[in-house]
């Protein structure tokens, strides 16, 4: 069972999950709840089981979302490439999806912006691609500075940005086929890359991300691969293929025009495999862990996913182009949210704490977590079945009908996610 891998049917969960996400996200920020990305290594099953669709973030707010960033307070920035309001804008939301402000609609214009990132101080960086600059704003959307490259190496179509643990900024340049590195004040530190297919060369470098050891991952988009470097640009590894466009693949670990890259707190490397309409996940050596997504506009499906991010609560955000059948100027793009089953179990445990026969229900969820971590999926499913029976037995007694329905729906969603019959 150690290599247990399940093919997950993507489903729409009850809106109870979306309400619960807001509660538990807040709890995670203040240190009350430990989520999937910070759980012990025993929760290894989540590395192989795809996450479950849990809803849209700020539905109806986006046209062509192509960038996502999460700040230290759990606020979510979403970049809209073309939005029929301006030539690109950034919207900032709280973790519940409430709009806080927008940048780019007036006063601080963009021209075809692509990538965004935040630093530990809460500052925002925007790759303003067709203006050949990277713009820096504070957490209130106030402009701080513009960066146009380094001496003798001006930006040409900067694509995406990332920030490391020291506050250093990395910028991919789509048509200069390189990466440049700067400190937090914009002072030049390093650059690497040239056009080609060899190690350390690029053909349209796009997404960029940094892991906990400050290693750098670049989506070498038209070479259909991910390249890994140390923080000074020394080549370390690569994976993907089968080769430069028009060659591409759709098997595990293969890519077709990858764009966004993100590394979560557990050092899982997420890749928005754009033209395969899916997300793939790897460890830092390039070992394939899981994937999800198919082409379509139904919940959980994707149309050209462009970027991805993971918040402290373990919620995975994926920006895709949405429903091509909706005509502009109506918003068409999606930012979809997904959770691993172990995070769903943690959320369910939080939901039943101190509610009705809380201790008994909580013990069952803890048992399910234990068996899932082994992993022993069959026993986990049995425990969840007993959980549902106990909730039904308390309906109208210690548990009201509304809560009864919510707990059953959420437990049933986990059963579907992990493949219970």
């Amino acid at each position: 069972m150690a290599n247990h891998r399940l093919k997950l049917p993507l489903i729409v969960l009850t809106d109870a999950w979306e309400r619960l996400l807001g509660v538990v996200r807040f709890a995670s920020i203040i240190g009350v709840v430990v989520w999937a990305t910070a759980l012990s290594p025993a929760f290894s099953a989540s590395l192989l089981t795809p996450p479950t669709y849990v809803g849209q973030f700020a539905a109806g707010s986006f046209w062509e979302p192509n960038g996502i960033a999460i700040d230290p307070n759990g606020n979510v920035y979403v970049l809209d490439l073309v939005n029929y309001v301006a030539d690109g804008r950034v919207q900032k939301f709280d973790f519940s999806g409430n709009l806080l402000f927008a940048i780019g609609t007036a006063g601080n214009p963009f021209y075809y912006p692509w990538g965004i990132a935040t630093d530990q101080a809460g500052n925002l960086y925007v790759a303003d691609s067709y203006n050949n600059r990277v713009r820096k704003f504070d957490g209130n959307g106030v402009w701080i500075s513009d960066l146009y490259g380094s001496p003798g190496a001006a930006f040409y179509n900067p694509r995406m940005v990332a920030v490391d643990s020291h506050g250093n900024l990395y910028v991919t340049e789509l048509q200069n086929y390189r990466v440049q590195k700067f400190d937090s004040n914009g002072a030049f530190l390093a650059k690497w890359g040239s056009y080609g297919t060899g190690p350390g060369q690029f053909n349209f470098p796009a997404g960029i991300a940094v892991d906990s050891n400050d290693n750098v991952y670049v989506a070498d988009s038209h070479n259909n691969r991910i390249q890994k470097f140390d923080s000074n640009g020394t080549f370390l590894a690569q994976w993907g293929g089968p080769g430069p466009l028009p060659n591409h693949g759709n098997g595990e670990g293969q890519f077709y025009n990858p764009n966004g890259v993100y590394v979560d707190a557990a050092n899982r490397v997420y890749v928005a495999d754009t033209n395969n309409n899916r997300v793939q996940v790897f460890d830092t050596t390039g070992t394939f862990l899981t994937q999800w997504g198919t082409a379509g506009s139904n919940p959980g499906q994707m149309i050209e996913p462009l970027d991805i991010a993971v918040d402290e609560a373990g919620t995975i955000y994926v920006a895709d182009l949405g429903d091509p059948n909706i005509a502009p100027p109506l918003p068409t793009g999606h930012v979809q949210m997904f959770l691993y089953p172990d995070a769903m179990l943690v959320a369910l445990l939080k939901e039943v704490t101190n509610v009705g026969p809380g201790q008994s229900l909580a013990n069952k969820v803890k048992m399910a977590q234990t068996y899932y971590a082994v992993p022993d999926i069959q026993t986990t499913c049995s425990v969840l079945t007993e959980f549902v029976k106990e909730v039904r037995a308390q309906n109208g007694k210690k548990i009201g009908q509304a809560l009864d329905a919510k707990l059953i729906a959420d437990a049933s969603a986990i059963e579907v996610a992990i493949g219970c019959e």
Side-chain angles (χ1 to χ4, degrees):
M1 297 286 290
N3 291 318
H4 185 87
R5 183 178 296 160
L6 296 164
K7 196 171 182 69
L8 172 67
L10 294 172
I11 56 173
V12 182
L13 304 187
T14 65
D15 64 356
W17 274 107
E18 295 194 39
R19 293 195 300 272
L20 178 63
L21 282 172
V23 174
V24 183
R25 283 177 188 163
F26 176 75
S28 70
I29 292 170
I30 62 174
V32 175
V33 177
V34 180
W35 275 78
T37 51
L39 292 174
S40 71
F43 275 82
S44 59
S46 69
L47 297 179
L48 297 174
T49 304
T52 294
Y53 171 82
V54 295
Q56 282 194 47
F57 181 79
S61 300
F62 315 111
W63 277 263
E64 295 184 12
N66 62 325
I68 310 174
I70 315 294
D71 75 10
N73 295 317
N75 299 306
V76 181
Y77 291 89
V78 180
L79 176 62
D80 244 346
L81 177 65
V82 178
N83 57 61
Y84 300 93
V85 175
D87 289 323
R89 67 175 176 184
V90 179
Q91 296 182 83
K92 181 179 181 179
F93 302 86
D94 65 19
F95 52 69
S96 297
N98 299 307
L99 179 65
L100 300 178
F101 60 77
I103 308 172
T105 54
N108 285 300
F110 302 116
Y111 186 21
Y112 223 66
W114 262 94
I116 54 176
T118 58
D119 62 21
Q120 287 302 307
N123 297 311
L124 172 72
Y125 296 86
V126 182
D128 190 9
S129 293
Y130 280 18
N131 281 321
N132 295 310
R133 63 185 176 183
V134 173
R135 315 206 75 185
K136 183 178 181 180
F137 302 85
D138 69 16
N140 296 312
V142 177
W143 174 80
I144 297 175
S145 62
D146 288 334
L147 181 64
Y148 288 87
S150 57
F155 289 144
Y156 183 22
N157 201 351
R159 184 72 161 194
M160 290 189 172
V161 288
V163 180
D164 69 16
S165 63
H166 301 287
N168 298 314
L169 174 70
Y170 300 81
V171 183
T172 57
E173 292 182 74
L174 197 68
Q175 290 173 290
N176 271 331
Y177 311 106
R178 67 186 175 197
V179 175
Q180 293 203 59
K181 177 183 178 181
F182 305 85
D183 70 15
S184 59
N185 295 313
F188 171 76
L189 297 176
K191 66 177 183 290
W192 66 90
S194 61
Y195 177 78
T197 60
Q201 294 183 309
F202 301 109
N203 187 357
F204 277 42
I208 187 165
V210 184
D211 68 18
S212 62
N213 295 314
D214 287 338
N215 295 310
V216 180
Y217 302 80
V218 179
D220 188 6
S221 187
H222 286 193
N223 280 328
N224 292 307
R225 65 182 176 181
I226 301 298
Q227 295 198 65
K228 178 181 179 180
F229 305 87
D230 70 14
S231 60
N232 296 311
T234 301
F235 174 83
L236 299 176
Q238 64 177 345
W239 65 90
L245 290 179
N247 301 304
H248 56 83
N250 58 12
E252 293 179 355
Q254 296 181 326
F255 303 108
Y256 187 6
N257 194 20
N259 273 277
V261 184
Y262 190 89
V263 183
D264 71 10
N267 278 332
R268 293 178 283 214
V269 182
Y270 297 77
V271 181
D273 190 5
T274 300
N275 288 108
N276 278 325
N277 300 297
R278 66 181 177 181
V279 173
Q280 295 195 69
V281 188
F282 305 85
D283 68 15
T284 55
T285 69
T287 300
F288 174 84
L289 299 176
T290 194
Q291 64 177 329
W292 75 95
T294 57
S297 54
N298 294 321
Q301 293 184 309
M302 305 174 192
I303 299 294
E304 297 187 10
L306 292 172
D307 203 13
I308 189 166
V310 184
D311 69 14
E312 290 187 8
T315 308
I316 305 164
Y317 300 81
V318 179
D320 74 298
L321 296 183
D323 190 346
N325 297 315
I326 299 176
L330 295 175
T332 62
H334 296 152
V335 173
Q336 301 188 77
M337 299 184 294
F338 300 84
L339 274 178
Y340 287 112
D342 55 4
M344 296 166 70
L345 282 164
V346 173
L348 184 59
L349 178 60
K350 175 67 177 178
E351 190 172 28
V352 301
T353 302
N354 300 321
V355 176
Q359 189 59 44
S360 176
L361 293 177
N363 285 339
K364 284 185 169 56
V365 179
K366 289 178 181 178
M367 288 174 61
Q369 289 177 312
T370 300
Y371 289 122
Y372 182 74
V374 172
D376 185 343
I377 303 300
Q378 183 176 357
T379 305
T380 301
C381 294
S382 298
V383 172
L384 288 170
T385 298
E386 292 300 315
F387 172 87
V388 170
K389 287 181 180 178
E390 184 168 340
V391 170
R392 284 177 173 154
Q394 298 297 333
N395 184 14
K397 300 175 185 177
K398 293 183 179 179
I399 301 178
Q401 290 184 354
L403 180 58
D404 168 89
K406 183 169 66 170
L407 294 176
I408 291 174
D410 294 346
S412 298
I414 299 173
E415 290 180 320
V416 172
I418 64 178
C420 299
E421 296 181 355

